[in-house]
């Protein structure tokens, strides 16, 4: 995060915001700066990625699902916006430790095996965070924590991309902790860390995007939108973030209903076909057609 802070200091904060007498390495200034950066960055990533996904990928037929809430997209956005500043508070404390040199982040690519080290770090980062998030997520489904924290995210039974970050601030922070903890345990290049942070946000949106297709070869391994949508619908299955490995180990894996031809889209089609048949029966019974108009 110090890379972002340095750029912000150079181009905005030092020349236009803070007085020249306030040193850039002052801890209070760093806290304020990081809080602003985290909030702005969080909103930008959320709205950019979720909006692109909503208009280019999300299957709008899901908005006719019987469990889809009226004005759901608006509710998802409002809830997200209300939680981001709260989530930023504990997040900034960890970023501050990074900025002040307590992590194992490094600048020079040659510090650890060159570019091979970057590839290795990316793999271990994904593997480490995937395992940690599985158990954190599963803990959040425990009766002691679910109603207080995680239930807010399960309000969206059939999520849209805007539900990707619509969770209680403590829920969001706990599930993001592995991303922040990793560079305190393992060496990681600063530029790669920023790239992985963007990727994580992209993936979080993608598993809420309503596109249930997965390449056949990857179906046994990748935890995609089909898996995570079933998690929203059935609760105690498919806790994983990136892969299905920990769900299989933990006995919580469920083959996505969409892979079996019984997913949310099938529910939408069956639901509206049933209503159409009901409306047709009423019309044949010499109704004036008003019921059919309401359904449409």
């Amino acid at each position: 995060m110090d890379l972002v802070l340095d750029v912000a200091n150079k181009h905005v904060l030092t020349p236009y915001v803070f007085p020249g007498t306030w040193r850039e390495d002052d801890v209070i200034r760093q806290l304020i700066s990081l809080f602003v950066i985290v909030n702005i960055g969080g909103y930008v990533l959320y709205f950019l990625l979720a909006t692109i996904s909503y208009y280019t990928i999300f299957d709008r037929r899901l908005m006719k699902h019987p469990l889809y809430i009226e004005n759901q997209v608006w509710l998802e956005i409002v809830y997200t916006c209300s939680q981001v500043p709260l989530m930023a508070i504990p997040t900034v404390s960890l970023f501050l430790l990074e900025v002040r040199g307590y992590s194992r982040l490094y600048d020079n690519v040659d510090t650890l095996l060159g570019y091979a080290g970057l590839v290795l770090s990316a793999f271990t980062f994904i593997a480490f965070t995937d395992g940690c998030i599985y158990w954190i997520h599963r803990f959040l489904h425990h009766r002691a924590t679910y109603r207080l924290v995680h239930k807010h995210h399960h309000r969206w039974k059939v999520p849209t991309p805007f539900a990707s970050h619509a969770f209680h601030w403590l829920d969001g922070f706990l599930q993001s902790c592995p991303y922040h903890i990793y560079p305190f345990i393992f060496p990681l290049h600063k530029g790669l860390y920023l790239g992985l942070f963007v990727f994580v946000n992209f993936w979080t949106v993608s598993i809420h995007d309503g596109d249930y297709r997965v390449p056949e070869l990857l179906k046994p391994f990748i935890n995609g939108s089909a898996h995570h949508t079933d998690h929203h619908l059935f609760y105690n299955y498919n806790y994983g973030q990136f892969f299905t490995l920990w769900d299989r180990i933990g006995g919580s894996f469920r083959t996505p209903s969409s892979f079996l031809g019984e997913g949310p889209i099938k529910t939408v089609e069956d639901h509206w076909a049933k209503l159409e048949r009901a409306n047709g029966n009423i019309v044949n019974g010499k109704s004036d057609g008003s019921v059919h108009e309401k359904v449409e």
Side-chain angles (χ1 to χ4, degrees), residues 246-265:
W246 283 102
D247 278 301
R248 295 180 186 278
I249 293 173
S252 55
F253 177 77
R254 177 189 175 102
T255 300
S257 55
S258 297
F259 291 177
L260 303 175
E262 296 294 334
I265 295 299

Side-chain angles (χ1 to χ4, degrees), residues 250-293:
S252 55
F253 177 77
R254 177 189 175 102
T255 300
S257 55
S258 297
F259 291 177
L260 303 175
E262 296 294 334
I265 295 299
K266 178 68 161 48
T267 300
V268 170
E269 293 172 345
D270 290 348
H271 175 71
W272 285 88
K274 182 177 179 180
L275 290 178
E276 288 295 330
R277 287 195 299 272
N279 289 330
N281 290 335
I282 292 174
V283 170
N284 291 334
K286 299 184 178 180
S287 166
D288 61 4
S290 59
V291 175
H292 187 45
E293 291 172 2

Side-chain angles (χ1 to χ4, degrees), residues 16-28:
Y16 302 113
V17 178
F18 293 115
T21 56
W22 201 350
R23 294 171 48 189
E24 291 183 354
D25 62 352
D26 181 89
V27 65
I28 301 301

Side-chain angles (χ1 to χ4, degrees), residues 190-221:
K190 294 178 180 179
L192 177 61
Y193 186 37
L194 285 177
L196 288 169
F197 191 78
V198 173
F199 169 75
V200 164
N201 279 272
F202 167 80
W203 189 270
T204 302
V205 171
S206 76
I207 60 175
H208 295 85
D209 66 11
D211 185 348
Y212 305 136
R213 296 171 298 175
V214 176
E216 198 67 34
L217 184 65
L218 298 179
K219 278 186 176 181
F221 313 109

